[in-house]
Amino acid sequence: PSTEVSGETYIIGTDTTFAPFEYREDGELTGIDMDLVRDIAASQGFTVEIQSLGFDAALQALQSNQVDGVIAGMSITDERELIFDFSDPYFDSGVQMAVAEANTEITAYADLAGETVVAKRGSEGETFANSIKDEYGFTVKALADSATMYDDVKAGNSVAVFDDYPVLAYGINQNNGLKSVTEKEQGSSYGFAVNKGQNPELLAAFNAGLAELEASGAYQDILDTYLDAPA
Ligand code: GLN
């Protein structure tokens, strides 16, 4: 355990409804990110106070130093590396499109012409949707969290959602009323973030704890717990 973080309490911001990375079960925050940050804190001797803020709100809270770190299935991107410092990557992800289960009209981006899609404000999904909207002639509506986006598609207010594929796949596997019809896009890996130049000891402790969990097999056990769970 690192002595610099020992006995410290860090406030960690996260997303609200991003299963299997962070979500509530019986009122308790759970998921891969939650297990990861709690196990790392325990092994490195620090305490975490987790705040379920929402994705964009968590990033803003980090920028204004209202939280010490963010773990939220947050992709390590070049733009973000200008303002945040990231841990070593811990999960490879990417964006995918999903539509309502009953929808037979939309099977490709080309079918989105004249339609509205949803993506999460401030997310890679939003960036990707915006990057192809002119080419395919659709409108992108930004919402704050995944559950609200999925409801918007199911209610028919938008025809498709762009979100991270492991999160879409987890929901679809639980029969959430959506389906994927296109391949996933090449994406970035998730990392734990601190504000640029802030809390370097926390970042170092996270990396040390992550390396230990990977070496011991405990990290794989966490993934298996959430990703192989039957619907
Ligand atoms: N991985 C995506 C991003 O970083 C989405 C994260 C999220 O919605 N919690 O933009």
Side-chain angles (χ1 to χ4, degrees):
S2 152
T3 49
E4 265 192 283
V5 295
S6 177
E8 295 287 332
T9 296
Y10 293 101
I11 302 172
I12 308 297
T14 190
D15 198 349
T16 50
T17 54
F18 203 57
F21 294 91
E22 42 268 345
Y23 59 105
R24 282 187 195 273
E25 201 164 76
D26 302 325
E28 298 293 322
L29 271 173
T30 187
I32 295 168
D33 286 348
M34 302 298 96
D35 281 10
L36 205 52
V37 75
R38 286 172 180 147
D39 286 2
I40 290 172
S43 86
Q44 304 301 308
F46 63 92
T47 301
V48 286
E49 181 193 316
I50 297 170
Q51 294 188 354
S52 173
L53 301 172
F55 185 66
D56 195 47
L59 269 59
Q60 289 185 30
L62 185 57
Q63 260 193 283
S64 55
N65 295 315
Q66 287 167 300
V67 298
D68 297 302
V70 164
I71 189 159
M74 181 178 176
S75 305
I76 303 169
T77 67
D78 293 345
E79 301 76 39
R80 289 179 186 156
E81 280 188 305
L82 299 174
I83 51 173
F84 301 121
D85 290 329
F86 282 96
S87 71
D88 294 330
Y90 66 85
F91 191 92
D92 296 332
S93 194
V95 169
Q96 196 170 16
M97 180 174 85
V99 299
E101 214 164 20
N103 186 326
T104 53
E105 316 278 299
I106 313 280
T107 59
Y109 299 149
D111 299 323
L112 297 173
E115 305 285 0
T116 295
V117 309
V118 275
K120 192 177 299 175
R121 186 168 298 115
S123 73
E124 280 287 276
E126 184 189 31
T127 303
F128 176 71
N130 279 323
S131 76
I132 62 166
K133 71 177 177 190
D134 290 343
E135 182 183 354
Y136 294 105
F138 62 86
T139 302
V140 181
K141 177 164 85 179
L143 292 174
D145 67 88
S146 292
T148 309
M149 300 194 305
Y150 300 175
D151 286 344
D152 203 70
V153 174
K154 281 183 277 180
N157 296 327
S158 50
V159 297
V161 53
F162 287 81
D163 203 356
D164 287 7
Y165 81 80
V167 175
L168 283 175
Y170 185 88
I172 290 168
N173 194 38
Q174 308 235 327
N175 300 310
N176 72 349
L178 299 182
K179 65 178 178 186
S180 55
V181 286
T182 50
E183 294 301 307
K184 64 182 186 188
E185 298 293 334
Q186 178 66 42
S188 325
S189 299
Y190 294 164
F192 168 76
V194 295
N195 206 0
K196 192 128 205 102
Q198 307 283 323
N199 294 311
E201 75 295 344
L202 173 59
L203 198 57
F206 186 94
N207 281 333
L210 178 62
E212 278 177 26
L213 291 181
E214 285 174 346
S216 70
Y219 176 63
Q220 191 58 48
D221 289 343
I222 293 174
L223 291 188
D224 292 346
T225 299
Y226 292 97
L227 294 175
D228 294 345

